[in-house]
Amino acid sequence: MKNNMLEELCYLHTNLSKEDVLQLQELVGNLPLIADLNKANIFVDCLTKEGKHAIVVAEAAPTTTKPVYKKSVVGKFAYEAFEPSVLYTLRTGKPAFQNRALTQEGKTVDQSVVPINGANDRVIGALIMEKDVSEQLQNQQKMEALSEATETLSEILIGLTENRPIIPEMIEESLFFIDQEGKILYCNPSAINLIQEIGENDRSIILPLVSYFPRIQAILNEPEELIIQEVEMLNKVFQVKKIKLDQFDKANGMFVIFKNITELREKEKELIVKSVAIREIHHRVKNNLQTVASLLRLQMRRGLPEESKVHFVESLNRITSIASVYEVILSNSSVDDVDIYKLLEKIGNMLVWESEHENKKIMISYSGQHLQIKSNKAVSVALVINELIQNCVKHAFKTMDEGKIDVLFEQKGNDIEVQVIDNGEGYSSKSKPSLGLDIVRMMVEHDLSGYFSIQRTDIGTLATVTFPVEREMSLS
């Protein structure tokens, strides 16, 4: 098949004789071996009838390495502007070795071309070998750029440049440039001031760096090119960076940079102390609320007038709901953020569990995102949801043995919307106003700056609370 293609292309586009074509066919049979041996793509090009350009009549890709071309180029024309070496060899009969060329697929290759001679030493074609050097060229360019940058930095820091202001003079970090023996070749003004802090008033800094700062000896001895460690010295905390400069596998020296982070670490300690204090306050508030709740439960066990019992239960639930806010805070890593999902789940489960003592089977489900809000808003949300769920438990299922409550919450643009839905008897606008709903309206409008609505549905009651998202509120 390959020989038929070669014969057809030669007769159609070249002036080669039948004997020339037969000679090329014999050579083409060996192209795969040549390609594997040289780990390169091999081509045979012939001059066209007009003599202006060449045509590829045969090719072979290596199996011993990745080929240069993804697609076959047999039948493609090779123009002089892109393949000058090929046209040079076809016209002069002289070889051309290791020339850079750009393939039709945009890859850079090393190209070698030798003539194929026929009868009477007449050039009948060119044998071309191409090796992909794109990656090698990129790596070479990167190394050249890196070497140039390293040399420039070294010259700047050693002071070999002209007498112009340089960047290290202006940075706050103490910057040293030392040679392989640790001798200081350059230090910026901040570094000089740091050395003077340890009592070295002589501005002629001639000792090795570790003589001034023995604590960094271990860092300098590490073989890694880049090391960042914290070191305590001079009653301060420093972040020490070591950057080795190697050029052509030869050590040129290293940068050592001291950054004073004492103030940062002190602020971190202050934040930790404040966080511990805040968590302790939350813990005490929660314990105090639980103590009040325990006292109410104790009073209820000792006996209450029947007309007072319901008021004690409502007060107990409100106190417990507020306590739930602080329980959720203490369960989080944050000292003042509350997960709405966890909070509403805790309150709802508590209220539904208490309803089981009245021989009612109430199911409750929750759906929504894990939104984080600050504790001051969470207390208001907890009381509002407590009243709404308690209202369902208390009024929606009076004549029913079982029921269902759905608590839905989501963020809609700049608002948080919470819905409490039940499949009970349904809300009536003619019902006597209750303290619970009055508390809800007051807290939603004044504490949360939001809106509250309650309405009857086909299956029960829908209560909706909407309030704006504050800046400190976040979605985890």
Side-chain angles (χ1 to χ4, degrees), residues 254-270:
M254 66 179 72
F255 299 139
V256 182
I257 305 170
F258 293 79
K259 182 178 180 180
N260 189 343
I261 57 172
T262 307
E263 185 177 352
L264 175 64
R265 291 294 175 258
E266 287 177 352
K267 287 182 178 179
E268 288 178 352
K269 290 179 182 178
E270 290 176 5

Side-chain angles (χ1 to χ4, degrees), residues 205-217:
I205 301 172
I206 58 175
L207 297 177
L209 184 60
V210 292
S211 299
Y212 303 109
F213 309 106
R215 298 292 300 275
I216 69 166
Q217 180 70 66

Side-chain angles (χ1 to χ4, degrees), residues 112-318:
S112 295
V113 188
V114 295
I116 303 172
N117 295 322
N120 301 320
D121 288 332
R122 183 171 54 88
V123 178
I124 61 173
L127 184 67
I128 306 159
M129 180 177 71
E130 292 183 354
K131 290 185 178 182
D132 185 4
V133 293
S134 300
E135 186 175 346
Q136 177 184 341
L137 187 62
Q138 289 177 359
N139 291 336
Q140 181 180 344
Q141 291 172 344
K142 288 180 181 177
M143 285 300 299
E144 290 175 356
L146 181 61
S147 299
E148 184 178 348
T150 300
E151 184 176 352
T152 302
L153 282 171
S154 300
E155 289 179 355
I156 288 175
L157 292 175
I158 296 173
L160 297 180
T161 56
E162 298 177 5
N163 294 325
R164 296 177 302 195
I166 54 177
I167 293 174
E169 302 293 319
M170 298 180 285
I171 64 176
E172 295 181 358
E173 288 83 357
S174 302
L175 188 149
F176 298 89
F177 185 67
I178 63 176
D179 62 14
Q180 295 170 268
E181 286 74 35
K183 183 181 177 181
I184 300 172
L185 303 177
Y186 169 85
C187 54
N188 67 350
S190 178
I192 294 173
N193 293 337
L194 184 62
I195 289 180
Q196 289 177 345
E197 281 188 33
I198 60 178
E200 297 289 339
N201 295 320
D202 186 2
R203 296 187 66 87
S204 58
I205 301 172
I206 58 175
L207 297 177
L209 184 60
V210 292
S211 299
Y212 303 109
F213 309 106
R215 298 292 300 275
I216 69 166
Q217 180 70 66
I219 297 176
L220 300 183
N221 291 341
E222 290 290 337
E224 287 82 0
E225 293 182 351
L226 174 63
I227 292 180
I228 302 175
Q229 289 185 12
E230 288 188 15
V231 177
E232 292 186 12
M233 57 187 183
L234 308 179
N235 296 319
K236 298 177 182 177
V237 180
F238 290 91
Q239 182 188 71
V240 180
K241 296 181 184 178
K242 182 200 77 173
I243 307 171
K244 291 178 64 177
L245 292 181
D246 293 334
Q247 185 177 3
F248 305 118
D249 296 327
K250 179 182 178 182
N252 284 358
M254 66 179 72
F255 299 139
V256 182
I257 305 170
F258 293 79
K259 182 178 180 180
N260 189 343
I261 57 172
T262 307
E263 185 177 352
L264 175 64
R265 291 294 175 258
E266 287 177 352
K267 287 182 178 179
E268 288 178 352
K269 290 179 182 178
E270 290 176 5
L271 286 174
I272 292 172
V273 171
K274 288 180 180 179
S275 298
V276 171
I278 291 172
R279 293 187 73 85
E280 179 62 24
I281 291 171
H282 289 329
H283 188 74
R284 292 187 182 186
V285 171
K286 183 203 75 168
N287 287 347
N288 290 337
L289 290 170
Q290 289 179 340
T291 299
V292 174
S294 298
L295 291 173
L296 287 175
R297 291 192 186 95
L298 181 61
Q299 184 63 50
M300 291 169 64
R301 291 193 191 99
R302 290 186 175 181
L304 290 171
E306 194 62 33
E307 64 273 12
S308 302
K309 183 177 179 181
V310 64
H311 301 300
F312 267 76
V313 171
E314 290 177 355
S315 299
L316 177 62
N317 288 338
R318 289 164 187 151

Side-chain angles (χ1 to χ4, degrees), residues 292-361:
V292 174
S294 298
L295 291 173
L296 287 175
R297 291 192 186 95
L298 181 61
Q299 184 63 50
M300 291 169 64
R301 291 193 191 99
R302 290 186 175 181
L304 290 171
E306 194 62 33
E307 64 273 12
S308 302
K309 183 177 179 181
V310 64
H311 301 300
F312 267 76
V313 171
E314 290 177 355
S315 299
L316 177 62
N317 288 338
R318 289 164 187 151
I319 293 170
T320 308
S321 295
I322 298 174
S324 298
V325 173
Y326 294 95
E327 286 185 23
V328 174
I329 291 175
L330 292 170
S331 67
N332 290 346
S333 57
S334 175
V335 297
D336 202 32
D337 290 333
V338 179
D339 187 320
I340 292 183
Y341 193 110
K342 291 182 180 179
L343 176 63
L344 302 190
E345 187 178 41
K346 193 172 187 65
I347 293 171
N349 291 347
M350 174 192 67
L351 295 172
V352 169
W353 177 78
E354 289 183 354
S355 70
E356 295 179 358
H357 295 294
E358 299 178 8
N359 297 321
K360 291 185 183 294
K361 186 177 181 182

